[in-house]
Amino acid sequence: MPLLIRNADIVTADSRSRADLYIESETISRIGANLEAPPGTEIVDATGKLVFPGFIDPHVHVYLPFMATFAKDTHETASIAALIGGTTTYIEMCCPSRLDDALQGYQLWKSKAEGSSACDYSFHMSVTKFEQCTEPQLRQIVADGISSFKIFLSYKNFFGVTDDEMYQTMRLAKQLGVIVTAHCENAELVSRLQEMLIAAGKTGPEWHEPSRPQSVEAEGTGRFATFLETTGAAGYVVHLSCKPALDAAMAAKGRGVRLWIESVLPHFLLDKTYAERPGVEGMKHVMSPPLRERSNQKILWDALAKGFIDTVGTDHCPFDTSQKILGKDAFTQIPNGIPGIEERVNLMYTYGVKRGILDLHRFVDATSTRAAKLFGLFPRKGTIAAGSDADLVIYDPNYRGTLSAATQHSNVDYNGFEGMPIEGRPSIVTVRGKIQVRDGKFVGERGRGKMLKREPAYF
Ligand code: URP
Ligand code: ZN
Ligand code: ZN
């Protein structure tokens, strides 16, 4: 059924205008004043609301075998949570371990999402080793519509690559026009520090941050940038958490390295004292890179406002408390990660836009448009224009609420942002023209999501 949105206050990364939007055949077909509605058109009045392009989360985990367990969401639960929070597309990290075959891993990850996600999705393909068969397999995966790789400089012997494997991945990425995303922490130093702390009886979650200090992240970021500089590949640092890492990335950008930066929701709003809470409360807030000293938050917000930090993801990692507790005797066994796929947009709007830190356009850019551009989805996604997919968020800036595990939709029994007030939430969310969410409730079609084929960008 066609859809007409009347009186839309349309906000994109670079413009604001008032118009009607007419949607048919999954796309925005007309934008203009007083558009005609043929019989049978559903009409939505957006007076008093903001209309944003569907938000894009560039960094999520849904299916994730990691640290002796499996993350709890399915694509059904994760996508419903995403949509209720205004995210209409996510890019999942496809993460086979070093023991797995990359192509089989890719097919497994794809099979988990197919027919299950209610929103559109794609994958970053993790390269966790580089053997003879790796290059042809990666070429096949890129030909299937994946235009980004992921490497881990951390998680030694599991996801982590050696410097030689990083080099080979970048050489191939450069040839294929594929961007390399990277988790930047020095694996060797992390494992030495973990050994030392555990041997000294420092086993609680409060020791997670000291086992991965800022210097370790800055080293990883700097080394990643040096390899990009040498190979000529384009890169994207995921979940950058602190000033020394930001300095390393900015220095590289200043030298002309083609490098983009993502920070994730928890690092803007939570600090290391959350992981210092006793017992499982602390464990809920263990992620890598860790939550940092509070002083970093202002630095990240400033860099985001200026566009030095390009995107905001979540690193959504749906492990629940029964899994977090696996690390009760040693922080090294706590499954890493904090869920946030439902909370990202509302929290960035509340604590960024409403607090006067983020300009409304930069907010849209950081949470949607720039990811679309970097990862080969623009202008199909990430903007509101004739011909773009009709992924729209009609946002109610007057809504007031409080985040809680009791009302969330991810299949997790805690909320890392429990009790935080929000000012604004999506009132209507569409995926390719179909209304999937109304006022906090999923009302749409499960399994509607499509895997998005992305073209290499040749930065
Ligand atoms: O703590 C995190 N980030 N867990 C998920 C794996 C990763 O590093 O992205
Ligand atoms: Zn990571
Ligand atoms: Zn991650």
Side-chain angles (χ1 to χ4, degrees), residues 226-251:
T226 304
F227 274 62
L228 292 173
E229 193 169 13
T230 309
T231 58
Y236 175 94
V237 179
V238 301
H239 51 38
L240 182 138
S241 74
C242 61
K243 182 173 187 308
L246 181 63
D247 290 345
M250 291 307 294

Short mmCIF file of all heavy atoms in Angstrom, two decimals, residues 226-251:
data_model
loop_
_atom_site.label_atom_id
_atom_site.label_comp_id
_atom_site.label_asym_id
_atom_site.label_seq_id
_atom_site.Cartn_x
_atom_site.Cartn_y
_atom_site.Cartn_z
N THR A 226 49.69 2.70 10.62
CA THR A 226 50.97 2.57 9.90
C THR A 226 50.86 1.53 8.79
O THR A 226 51.38 1.71 7.68
CB THR A 226 52.09 2.18 10.89
OG1 THR A 226 52.12 3.15 11.93
CG2 THR A 226 53.44 2.09 10.22
N PHE A 227 50.16 0.44 9.07
CA PHE A 227 49.98 -0.59 8.04
C PHE A 227 49.11 -0.06 6.89
O PHE A 227 49.36 -0.37 5.73
CB PHE A 227 49.38 -1.87 8.65
CG PHE A 227 50.41 -2.79 9.24
CD1 PHE A 227 51.21 -2.39 10.30
CD2 PHE A 227 50.59 -4.06 8.72
CE1 PHE A 227 52.16 -3.24 10.85
CE2 PHE A 227 51.55 -4.92 9.26
CZ PHE A 227 52.33 -4.51 10.33
N LEU A 228 48.11 0.75 7.22
CA LEU A 228 47.29 1.35 6.15
C LEU A 228 48.15 2.26 5.28
O LEU A 228 48.07 2.25 4.05
CB LEU A 228 46.14 2.18 6.74
CG LEU A 228 45.03 1.43 7.48
CD1 LEU A 228 44.08 2.43 8.14
CD2 LEU A 228 44.24 0.51 6.54
N GLU A 229 48.98 3.03 5.96
CA GLU A 229 49.84 4.00 5.26
C GLU A 229 50.77 3.27 4.30
O GLU A 229 50.99 3.67 3.16
CB GLU A 229 50.66 4.74 6.33
CG GLU A 229 51.37 5.96 5.85
CD GLU A 229 51.92 6.76 7.06
OE1 GLU A 229 51.96 6.24 8.20
OE2 GLU A 229 52.32 7.91 6.83
N THR A 230 51.28 2.13 4.76
CA THR A 230 52.26 1.39 3.96
C THR A 230 51.60 0.65 2.81
O THR A 230 52.15 0.56 1.72
CB THR A 230 53.00 0.39 4.88
OG1 THR A 230 53.47 1.11 6.01
CG2 THR A 230 54.16 -0.28 4.18
N THR A 231 50.42 0.12 3.05
CA THR A 231 49.76 -0.68 2.00
C THR A 231 48.87 0.17 1.09
O THR A 231 48.47 -0.27 0.03
CB THR A 231 48.86 -1.76 2.64
OG1 THR A 231 47.90 -1.11 3.49
CG2 THR A 231 49.66 -2.77 3.44
N GLY A 232 48.52 1.38 1.57
CA GLY A 232 47.61 2.23 0.78
C GLY A 232 46.15 1.84 0.91
O GLY A 232 45.29 2.37 0.21
N ALA A 233 45.86 0.91 1.84
CA ALA A 233 44.45 0.51 2.03
C ALA A 233 43.70 1.58 2.81
O ALA A 233 44.30 2.46 3.44
CB ALA A 233 44.40 -0.83 2.78
N ALA A 234 42.37 1.50 2.76
CA ALA A 234 41.52 2.40 3.56
C ALA A 234 41.07 1.65 4.81
O ALA A 234 40.79 0.45 4.75
CB ALA A 234 40.31 2.82 2.73
N GLY A 235 40.98 2.38 5.93
CA GLY A 235 40.66 1.70 7.18
C GLY A 235 39.68 2.45 8.06
O GLY A 235 39.42 3.64 7.86
N TYR A 236 39.16 1.74 9.04
CA TYR A 236 38.11 2.25 9.93
C TYR A 236 38.36 1.62 11.29
O TYR A 236 38.32 0.39 11.43
CB TYR A 236 36.78 1.82 9.33
CG TYR A 236 35.51 2.09 10.10
CD1 TYR A 236 34.76 3.23 9.84
CD2 TYR A 236 35.00 1.16 11.00
CE1 TYR A 236 33.54 3.45 10.48
CE2 TYR A 236 33.78 1.37 11.64
CZ TYR A 236 33.06 2.52 11.38
OH TYR A 236 31.84 2.73 11.99
N VAL A 237 38.69 2.47 12.26
CA VAL A 237 38.91 1.98 13.63
C VAL A 237 37.55 1.80 14.30
O VAL A 237 36.77 2.75 14.36
CB VAL A 237 39.71 3.00 14.46
CG1 VAL A 237 39.92 2.50 15.88
CG2 VAL A 237 41.03 3.32 13.81
N VAL A 238 37.27 0.61 14.80
CA VAL A 238 35.99 0.43 15.50
C VAL A 238 36.17 0.74 16.98
O VAL A 238 37.26 0.68 17.53
CB VAL A 238 35.42 -1.01 15.32
CG1 VAL A 238 35.20 -1.32 13.85
CG2 VAL A 238 36.27 -2.07 15.97
N HIS A 239 35.11 1.07 17.61
CA HIS A 239 34.98 1.35 19.05
C HIS A 239 36.19 2.02 19.71
O HIS A 239 36.69 1.57 20.73
CB HIS A 239 34.53 0.12 19.84
CG HIS A 239 35.29 -1.17 19.64
ND1 HIS A 239 36.64 -1.22 19.48
CD2 HIS A 239 34.85 -2.46 19.61
CE1 HIS A 239 36.99 -2.49 19.35
NE2 HIS A 239 35.94 -3.25 19.42
N LEU A 240 36.61 3.15 19.14
CA LEU A 240 37.71 3.93 19.74
C LEU A 240 37.21 4.56 21.05
O LEU A 240 36.14 5.18 21.09
CB LEU A 240 38.17 4.99 18.75
CG LEU A 240 39.33 5.87 19.21
CD1 LEU A 240 40.32 6.09 18.07
CD2 LEU A 240 38.82 7.20 19.74
N SER A 241 38.01 4.40 22.12
CA SER A 241 37.45 4.71 23.45
C SER A 241 38.13 5.85 24.21
O SER A 241 37.60 6.27 25.24
CB SER A 241 37.51 3.46 24.33
OG SER A 241 38.84 3.22 24.74
N CYS A 242 39.30 6.31 23.75
CA CYS A 242 40.06 7.20 24.66
C CYS A 242 40.96 8.17 23.90
O CYS A 242 41.23 8.00 22.71
CB CYS A 242 40.90 6.36 25.61
SG CYS A 242 42.10 5.33 24.75
N LYS A 243 41.44 9.17 24.64
CA LYS A 243 42.22 10.25 24.04
C LYS A 243 43.51 9.75 23.36
O LYS A 243 43.79 10.13 22.22
CB LYS A 243 42.54 11.32 25.08
CG LYS A 243 43.31 12.50 24.52
CD LYS A 243 43.49 13.62 25.50
CE LYS A 243 44.11 14.85 24.86
NZ LYS A 243 45.35 14.62 24.12
N PRO A 244 44.32 8.90 24.03
CA PRO A 244 45.55 8.48 23.35
C PRO A 244 45.28 7.77 22.02
O PRO A 244 46.03 7.97 21.05
CB PRO A 244 46.22 7.55 24.37
CG PRO A 244 45.68 7.99 25.70
CD PRO A 244 44.26 8.41 25.43
N ALA A 245 44.23 6.98 21.95
CA ALA A 245 43.91 6.31 20.68
C ALA A 245 43.42 7.33 19.65
O ALA A 245 43.76 7.26 18.46
CB ALA A 245 42.85 5.23 20.91
N LEU A 246 42.62 8.30 20.13
CA LEU A 246 42.14 9.35 19.21
C LEU A 246 43.34 10.15 18.67
O LEU A 246 43.41 10.45 17.47
CB LEU A 246 41.17 10.27 19.96
CG LEU A 246 40.56 11.40 19.14
CD1 LEU A 246 39.70 10.87 17.99
CD2 LEU A 246 39.71 12.33 20.03
N ASP A 247 44.28 10.46 19.55
CA ASP A 247 45.47 11.21 19.11
C ASP A 247 46.22 10.42 18.03
O ASP A 247 46.67 10.99 17.03
CB ASP A 247 46.41 11.48 20.29
CG ASP A 247 45.82 12.51 21.27
OD1 ASP A 247 44.85 13.20 20.88
OD2 ASP A 247 46.33 12.61 22.40
N ALA A 248 46.35 9.11 18.25
CA ALA A 248 47.07 8.28 17.26
C ALA A 248 46.33 8.28 15.92
O ALA A 248 46.95 8.40 14.85
CB ALA A 248 47.22 6.86 17.79
N ALA A 249 45.01 8.18 15.99
CA ALA A 249 44.23 8.16 14.74
C ALA A 249 44.27 9.51 14.04
O ALA A 249 44.42 9.59 12.81
CB ALA A 249 42.78 7.77 15.05
N MET A 250 44.17 10.59 14.83
CA MET A 250 44.17 11.92 14.23
C MET A 250 45.53 12.25 13.62
O MET A 250 45.62 12.90 12.57
CB MET A 250 43.77 12.99 15.26
CG MET A 250 42.32 12.92 15.70
SD MET A 250 41.13 12.93 14.35
CE MET A 250 41.39 14.57 13.71
N ALA A 251 46.59 11.79 14.28
CA ALA A 251 47.93 12.02 13.71
C ALA A 251 48.03 11.32 12.36
O ALA A 251 48.57 11.89 11.39
CB ALA A 251 49.00 11.49 14.68
#
